[in-house]
Amino acid sequence: MDFTAYYHIAFRHHTIMNPLSDDVLHQIGWHCFPDSGRVLDIGSGKGYVSLFFAREHEAYCVQVDSSPIWTEAARQLFAGEELLGSTEIHCMDAADFQAGTGEYHCILCLGTAPVYGGFSDALARLVPALTPDGVLVLGEISTDRPLPGPYRRYLSRQDWEIPSTEEIQRDLAANGLETLFAFRSDSREWDLYMGLQWKAISDYARQHPADEQAAEFLAWARKEQEMYLRYQRHYADWTVYVLRQAR
Ligand SMILES: C[S@@+](CC[C@H](N)C(=O)[O-])C[C@H]1O[C@@H](n2cnc3c(N)ncnc32)[C@H](O)[C@@H]1O
């Protein structure tokens, strides 16, 4: 299946493309970000998280995303707010983006650690780019309970391993990081994030009744929906960690 095409449709109605509310962004901004600092946003999507830092904290935001559609949407978003002077937007594989050492007061990696091959590889690549007091804001899924067989098989067919909190904490310690905040998404944030995808795919399939790819996308969305409602919602969490280098 063409997952790039699928997600461009599924995320059509999202602003932030993660189970993350504005309230969490406000908490991170207020407590952890110096006004007019520099932000690096890895897998920046439509630019809504960067826009928050540019608008509320006069940040300069370096956005990196591989999607021409999302980077163009981000450009239009910043242009509409007359904030193009507060950002640069790179349409490229973030794994190839060279971040300077000690350059960023805040690095956002929200659901995008797989860009680097996984959680601990993302830490190894991103931590050196932080200023000494800078924060790494990492959104990651985790599970602390044995998973039922059908869910385990579904994940393994996608080559998807969900780490435990213990594994995450071990990786954070090994990379010399302390946790300042850990915001677990609540069920409403998750449900909205998932529901927006189901609705967008369902609408698309209705608008394209004779399209085989639309039917394939709908079948995939229904399988994801079943796994989410039966398992993911009950067995997994999505947490935004706010981290900085320990002294
Ligand atoms: C789940 S979305 C998150 C977007 C954004 N961080 C947000 O919270 O709204 C993941 C984003 O990562 C981007 N992405 C996926 N693989 C990438 C890669 N190798 N390099 C750069 N961006 C990538 C996708 O295009 C998508 O915009």
Side-chain angles (χ1 to χ4, degrees):
M1 194 171 89
D2 182 346
F3 283 102
T4 303
Y6 176 86
Y7 283 113
H8 279 122
I9 296 164
F11 284 135
R12 188 172 275 175
H13 302 306
H14 291 69
T15 51
I16 295 174
M17 297 191 277
N18 270 302
L20 170 64
S21 67
D22 284 354
D23 174 53
V24 169
L25 285 183
H26 278 287
Q27 298 301 336
I28 296 169
W30 281 331
H31 296 294
C32 303
F33 189 74
D35 277 353
S36 68
R38 285 175 66 82
V39 171
L40 173 62
D41 191 348
I42 296 297
S44 43
K46 299 181 191 177
Y48 281 91
V49 181
S50 275
L51 180 69
F52 166 81
F53 284 95
R55 198 169 49 194
E56 304 294 324
H57 294 279
E58 297 173 9
Y60 184 80
C61 299
V62 177
Q63 303 184 58
V64 187
D65 198 288
S66 54
S67 160
I69 294 174
W70 298 149
T71 47
E72 181 49 31
R75 202 176 310 283
Q76 283 177 19
L77 181 71
F78 272 69
E81 299 276 335
E82 298 186 353
L83 280 170
L84 275 178
S86 301
T87 193
E88 58 193 63
I89 302 173
H90 301 269
C91 184
M92 63 185 288
D93 187 337
D96 296 331
F97 180 82
Q98 298 302 323
T101 305
E103 212 181 303
Y104 295 97
H105 300 93
C106 176
I107 300 179
L108 304 163
C109 184
L110 294 167
T112 50
V115 165
Y116 299 105
F119 187 74
S120 77
D121 300 299
L123 296 178
R125 277 289 296 276
L126 297 175
V127 170
L130 288 171
T131 59
D133 292 324
V135 288
L136 177 58
V137 179
L138 233 151
E140 189 62 30
I141 193 167
S142 60
T143 183
D144 292 311
R145 275 181 286 167
L147 301 180
Y151 188 42
R152 259 190 289 116
R153 287 191 287 281
Y154 165 78
L155 293 173
S156 97
R157 276 198 299 276
Q158 292 180 67
D159 233 357
W160 189 12
E161 260 181 58
I162 302 185
S164 66
T165 304
E166 189 186 340
E167 286 166 324
I168 287 175
Q169 286 183 325
R170 213 182 304 132
D171 277 341
L172 297 180
N175 283 277
L177 290 164
E178 64 170 337
T179 300
L180 303 180
F181 292 93
F183 295 105
R184 183 168 56 191
S185 293
D186 62 26
S187 55
R188 194 185 172 284
E189 289 162 337
W190 264 107
D191 290 350
L192 181 63
Y193 168 76
M194 296 304 294
L196 285 171
Q197 296 181 49
W198 306 333
K199 169 81 166 46
I201 294 290
S202 169
D203 287 348
Y204 183 78
R206 277 173 188 236
Q207 287 152 10
H208 301 83
D211 184 328
E212 269 179 36
Q213 192 184 47
E216 186 188 26
F217 288 172
L218 185 61
W220 179 262
R222 287 187 175 153
K223 185 72 194 163
E224 280 227 305
Q225 181 181 61
E226 181 194 344
M227 290 295 126
Y228 175 74
L229 292 174
R230 288 177 67 181
Y231 305 114
Q232 186 165 309
R233 204 176 193 226
H234 308 287
Y235 287 89
D237 287 311
W238 201 76
T239 304
V240 174
Y241 294 92
V242 185
L243 311 159
R244 102 182 142 191
Q245 295 171 81
R247 295 250 166 95

